[in-house]
Amino acid sequence: MVIWTDLSEVLIGGAYGLQKFVERSYGHEVAQRFCKRSREMNDEFCDLMRGRMAEEDYWRTLLQGDWPFGIDEAKVFLSQNMACNISKTIDVYRNIVYYPDYLKPWYTGDKSIQSFSHGRPTIWLVSDHIKERIPELEHLHPEIFELTSRQFWSFEIGKLKNEHGRFQSLLEENDLDADEVIFVDDSARNTAAAAELGIATITFKNAEQLQQVVWIPFCEIMLHNHKGATSWRLLSTILQLFQYSLNTPHSSRRRLLFLDSEMTKYSSMFDVWSTAYFA
């Protein structure tokens, strides 16, 4: 199983939302003007992500005219946005990557569920991003590169995620079937493009939502092939998960919200989620 995750607006702040930094320094009116100009520059922004335009040229074009700040300060605004706290989202992925192997022996049946039990799921970064910013990103957030075993950038192939052929080529070049992938992205256009190929998708809203639709169901899948499990095995595994959560610094008790005294809830939650994602 491979999880493809987006970068900007999922793990870090990207090129969107810079107006808040402009507003802090130069007021609401300038920030609104900057936001409007950014929208007008959408074609140039896409070329920046495709690697067809240098960042310096992008800012020079955007800031043509009378602005109270220049290219260097605009770059600082972007750096500030990239330097956000990403611990909540990172924790969701970290818990999956470092899930203990001794909790994975019991799966049979569905290919997608089985793939979890044959080793750790891998996380790949699939991002539309600015080429010049990658060294800074590695410095600011090394944990992203520690957790993601591979990184795929739009500027390397000259295509954005919502453009024809981007996801198909990723599948073919890496010998993957669509049902072996879950794609997480904040853009509905991007997730729709992936869904057309049969890839399970999650349109990211925030870390709490990701925890509910990835981490908690993942734990449930890891618990057992529930139809053939005994109550004692289920209880034993839950206790192991709970102990793991307490002993793992990157885990937290709230990630075990599915633990409930009403055992029947596990079955219903598992069935609904597995039907949606692994049918």
Side-chain angles (χ1 to χ4, degrees), residues 26 32 34 38 60 64 68 83 95 113 138 166 169-170 182 196 205-206 228 245:
Y26 298 101
Q32 289 302 302
F34 178 81
S38 297
R60 184 178 295 109
Q64 286 179 352
N95 283 333
I113 296 177
E138 291 174 329
R166 174 77 185 275
S169 63
L170 265 178
I182 298 175
E196 287 180 1
K205 296 180 176 62
N206 52 52
S245 179

Side-chain angles (χ1 to χ4, degrees), residues 77-244:
F77 292 149
L78 181 53
S79 294
Q80 290 173 331
N81 207 31
M82 288 172 57
C84 59
N85 186 329
I86 65 172
S87 60
K88 289 184 178 180
T89 305
I90 281 288
D91 273 355
V92 177
Y93 288 135
R94 181 181 277 121
N95 283 333
I96 292 174
V97 170
Y98 296 116
Y99 197 95
D101 285 332
Y102 65 80
L103 292 179
K104 299 182 182 179
W106 304 320
Y107 301 93
T108 58
D110 183 89
K111 176 183 177 183
S112 299
I113 296 177
Q114 272 193 316
S115 66
F116 277 123
S117 67
H118 293 310
R120 302 182 189 280
T122 58
I123 300 178
W124 294 357
L125 194 62
V126 180
S127 177
D128 297 340
H129 206 68
I130 303 170
K131 181 178 182 179
E132 292 89 336
R133 292 287 171 159
I134 304 307
E136 180 180 12
L137 177 63
E138 291 174 329
H139 173 73
L140 285 172
H141 300 295
E143 63 272 38
I144 291 175
F145 296 86
E146 293 167 4
L147 281 174
T148 59
S149 57
R150 301 183 67 182
Q151 298 84 38
F152 298 87
W153 308 104
S154 53
F155 56 77
E156 292 177 328
I157 61 172
K159 280 187 177 181
L160 305 182
K161 281 177 285 191
N162 59 31
E163 293 180 326
H164 179 73
R166 174 77 185 275
F167 293 120
Q168 186 63 48
S169 63
L170 265 178
L171 292 174
E172 292 174 356
E173 291 168 9
N174 295 283
D175 195 26
L176 286 171
D177 294 329
D179 63 3
E180 295 177 293
V181 177
I182 298 175
F183 176 53
V184 180
D185 197 287
D186 69 299
S187 167
R189 290 183 63 190
N190 292 342
T191 54
E196 287 180 1
L197 299 176
I199 296 171
T201 63
I202 297 167
T203 303
F204 179 87
K205 296 180 176 62
N206 52 52
E208 289 71 26
Q209 172 240 11
L210 191 66
Q211 176 182 303
Q212 292 292 325
V213 298
V214 175
W215 166 244
I216 291 176
F218 174 81
C219 287
E220 291 172 350
I221 291 173
M222 290 297 96
L223 283 174
H224 59 107
N225 182 2
H226 103 99
K227 290 184 173 65
T230 64
S231 297
W232 175 251
R233 173 172 284 180
L234 175 60
L235 179 59
S236 175
T237 308
I238 288 172
L239 291 174
Q240 290 180 73
L241 275 170
F242 186 66
Q243 187 64 38
Y244 168 64

Side-chain angles (χ1 to χ4, degrees), residues 24-92:
R24 289 173 193 171
S25 299
Y26 298 101
H28 181 72
E29 186 175 339
V30 175
Q32 289 302 302
R33 182 183 162 208
F34 178 81
C35 191
K36 180 175 182 292
R37 178 61 176 153
S38 297
R39 288 195 297 268
E40 294 170 349
M41 289 273 295
N42 184 65
D43 289 344
E44 289 83 355
F45 180 73
C46 289
D47 276 343
L48 176 63
M49 299 296 109
R50 295 185 188 105
R52 299 175 186 170
M53 188 176 198
E55 183 183 359
E56 188 84 10
D57 294 335
Y58 171 78
W59 290 120
R60 184 178 295 109
T61 305
L62 189 149
L63 295 174
Q64 286 179 352
D66 184 23
W67 290 90
F69 59 91
I71 293 174
D72 289 342
E73 193 167 1
K75 289 181 177 180
V76 170
F77 292 149
L78 181 53
S79 294
Q80 290 173 331
N81 207 31
M82 288 172 57
C84 59
N85 186 329
I86 65 172
S87 60
K88 289 184 178 180
T89 305
I90 281 288
D91 273 355
V92 177

